[in-house]
Amino acid sequence: MKSKLIGYGKEILTEQINHWILFPLVLTVMGLVKELTGLHEPDVAIWCVCSIFPLIFFIMRCKIKRFYIFVLSHMAMVGLVFGLNCISPSFQGGICVCAVFVYAAVSLYMLVKEAPYTEPIPLIVGVLISAGAIFLQHYQGTDSWDLYYSFTLIGVIALYFISVYLRHYLDFLVVNQSSAGYLPASEMFRSGFGMTLKFTFLGIIVMIFSTQFEWLSFILNYVKNAIVGFLRMLLSNLPKGTDENIQRGIGIPSNDISIKDMIPEMKEPFWLWEYIWYLLVFVFLILFAKLMIRLLVFLWNYFIRYGSSPNISMKDEDAFDLRERCELEKNPEKKKQKLLGFLSYRERIRKLYKRKLLSASIQMQENDRNRLAYNTAREWEEKLHVEGMAGLYERARYTEHELTGADVQKMKEILK
């Protein structure tokens, strides 16, 4: 199986993991407004519909090369969902509008930062979100939606295990493909992925049974009867009436006990909790507004500077110069300058070099394509017969010499 397809599968899994990690927060919002909206049960179907949005935006990032078309397509997607909600306003439609707006903003940010794949939310963060959301749900007096939180978290954990395997498999191929003579990549993937699915499925079964106390009580009833029958056989010579005493002495709870009986009754909350809740909502709104303002300012500056660029291509994760990342000493000032000087003349020359390698890799042989991340600029200049490319690239990559727009234009003419 091609590593590119596996990379796409990993990206889809990661997006779905991040999507469903946020579902407990949506559940909590549904619980807060259920009296106003008339929702007696959470609407899981609407969140399933929203899970299509990250997939659509990922396809846009892969297929659309021009920046202004990319921005317009995202705005059209947000406008379409918003327009449908305006035609028939509803609480579920509001959730869709919020989801598509957030995913569109994240997709634009990823393109500007040239991040080809989504970073997964850490699993511990998902567990904390679920625990905090269910606490707020019980605090509001809704204790009948616990299974939605449990099954969502179990599903997220299952997808997370599979995505971890895919990520490590791809990392293994990148590291060892150039050094090993032959790698049975397909056989390795099938054997490892099959084992991962088996253990993941087994873990899901165990976690589902551990959360269903009513199912377990039905099973434990047979265990109780078997133990009582065994004790009756051992103590059959005792006086009459011992069987009832045995059952009474074992102390096994009856089948009529449910989860609701184990949870204490809700009381009037302490006044301090209400003020803390309002404070948390206020802080969240301030942080969200600050994030949106910074994102809009960043996008505006980027569009003003480089909106006229003819092409914006994604950076292939497996096809870039590894030495772009490797430095003997980490310089915080240099990192700061890199962030502030985004797409300077120096960066544009390096991008032209990478773009040339990516476009040339389509017609390369398999051996040359595997060496794409390891050959030097001089070696690629000789292989591609592009005289002068290595000199400009090395000036931009390894020296502190000032570069101008004329250097960028010269690099473009060399790479024609």
Side-chain angles (χ1 to χ4, degrees):
M1 184 179 293
K2 295 183 179 180
S3 59
K4 191 173 183 180
L5 295 178
I6 298 176
Y8 288 158
K10 178 182 72 70
E11 171 64 14
I12 295 173
L13 281 179
T14 303
E15 289 179 343
Q16 294 304 311
I17 290 171
N18 294 345
H19 179 76
W20 287 101
I21 278 179
L22 301 177
F23 183 56
L25 299 178
V26 180
L27 272 179
T28 305
V29 174
M30 290 181 180
L32 293 175
V33 299
K34 68 177 183 178
E35 299 296 335
L36 300 176
T37 59
L39 284 174
H40 299 291
E41 293 293 333
D43 194 347
V44 183
I46 197 63
W47 199 243
C48 293
V49 173
C50 293
S51 66
I52 303 175
F53 296 149
L55 177 60
I56 294 175
F57 290 130
F58 174 65
I59 295 175
M60 289 181 180
R61 291 198 302 274
C62 293
K63 299 298 183 181
I64 300 177
K65 304 302 181 182
R66 295 184 179 273
F67 180 76
Y68 67 91
I69 298 178
F70 185 85
V71 174
L72 290 177
S73 63
H74 280 54
M75 294 175 61
M77 189 67 189
V78 175
L80 176 63
V81 177
F82 182 78
L84 293 175
N85 185 54
C86 291
I87 295 174
S88 178
S90 63
F91 174 72
Q92 291 86 344
I95 292 178
C96 288
V97 171
C98 294
V100 73
F101 178 78
V102 171
Y103 284 128
V106 171
S107 180
L108 287 170
Y109 179 80
M110 289 179 62
L111 180 75
V112 171
K113 285 294 186 181
E114 292 191 337
Y117 297 114
T118 307
E119 290 295 329
I121 298 175
L123 185 59
I124 185 63
V125 175
V127 174
L128 293 176
I129 289 175
S130 183
I134 198 172
F135 171 77
L136 291 176
Q137 196 75 280
H138 280 274
Y139 175 76
Q140 294 296 328
T142 303
D143 56 359
S144 59
W145 293 3
D146 293 355
L147 290 181
Y148 292 97
Y149 291 93
S150 302
F151 280 104
T152 300
L153 185 59
I154 290 172
V156 166
I157 293 173
L159 294 179
Y160 187 82
F161 287 159
I162 297 174
S163 68
V164 167
Y165 170 76
L166 295 180
R167 183 170 68 251
H168 286 287
Y169 173 77
L170 293 174
D171 292 342
F172 176 81
L173 290 184
V174 171
V175 173
N176 295 278
Q177 201 165 26
S178 61
S179 59
Y182 170 73
L183 279 177
S186 300
E187 292 78 3
M188 291 167 56
F189 177 79
R190 284 194 293 267
S191 61
F193 190 68
M195 190 65 67
T196 301
L197 288 180
K198 291 178 183 178
F199 280 103
T200 302
F201 181 75
L202 180 61
I204 291 174
I205 297 299
V206 172
M207 286 188 287
I208 288 177
F209 273 98
S210 64
T211 57
Q212 302 303 304
F213 297 103
E214 295 181 357
W215 297 358
L216 289 178
S217 64
F218 178 77
I219 298 174
L220 291 176
N221 186 38
Y222 288 99
V223 177
K224 179 196 72 174
N225 293 335
I227 294 176
V228 171
F230 180 71
L231 292 176
R232 282 178 178 173
M233 181 186 66
L234 293 179
L235 305 175
S236 58
N237 295 328
L238 293 179
K240 188 177 180 181
T242 305
D243 296 340
E244 290 77 7
N245 295 332
I246 292 174
Q247 294 185 20
R248 197 177 298 113
I250 293 175
I252 298 177
S254 63
N255 296 333
D256 298 332
I257 297 178
S258 62
I259 301 176
K260 294 182 179 180
D261 299 328
M262 302 171 63
I263 300 175
E265 297 181 358
M266 296 296 297
K267 297 181 180 179
E268 188 69 23
F270 186 51
W271 61 269
L272 181 60
W273 293 112
E274 297 183 4
Y275 288 100
I276 294 177
W277 170 252
Y278 293 139
L279 180 62
L280 290 175
V281 172
F282 178 75
V283 172
F284 174 77
L285 292 177
I286 293 296
L287 293 176
F288 182 76
K290 182 179 179 181
L291 178 62
M292 289 297 103
I293 291 173
R294 293 185 62 180
L295 180 61
L296 291 175
V297 171
F298 183 81
L299 290 175
W300 174 257
N301 293 334
Y302 179 80
F303 184 77
I304 292 298
R305 293 181 183 179
Y306 310 105
S308 60
S309 181
N311 287 310
I312 292 182
S313 59
M314 288 183 56
K315 182 171 60 179
D316 194 340
E317 187 181 46
D318 297 333
F320 63 93
D321 193 346
L322 289 180
R323 290 163 298 182
E324 295 289 342
R325 288 184 179 178
C326 300
E327 294 181 356
L328 296 179
E329 296 181 359
K330 295 183 178 180
N331 190 346
E333 293 297 327
K334 188 172 182 181
K335 183 178 181 181
K336 183 177 180 181
Q337 292 174 4
K338 182 179 178 181
L339 292 175
L340 296 177
F342 183 67
L343 284 182
S344 60
Y345 294 130
R346 189 179 305 276
E347 292 294 326
R348 292 173 69 179
I349 290 176
R350 291 166 64 179
K351 286 179 182 295
L352 289 171
Y353 170 78
K354 295 177 187 178
R355 190 177 300 168
K356 176 64 177 178
L357 293 188
L358 291 176
S359 61
S361 64
I362 300 175
Q363 301 177 353
M364 290 181 184
Q365 297 180 356
E366 187 67 23
N367 293 333
D368 289 337
R369 192 179 297 112
N370 293 336
R371 298 292 303 174
L372 194 62
Y374 302 98
N375 287 346
T376 64
R378 296 286 177 180
E379 291 172 334
W380 283 122
E381 182 182 71
E382 182 179 351
K383 285 180 176 293
L384 300 178
H385 306 288
V386 184
E387 186 177 355
M389 177 185 70
L392 277 173
Y393 172 75
E394 289 171 353
R395 281 182 58 195
R397 176 65 182 90
Y398 301 109
T399 69
E400 298 295 333
H401 295 164
E402 290 293 332
L403 298 170
T404 63
D407 296 322
V408 177
Q409 189 63 30
K410 183 179 179 181
M411 189 68 165
K412 287 182 180 179
E413 293 176 357
I414 292 174
L415 299 180
K416 282 184 179 180

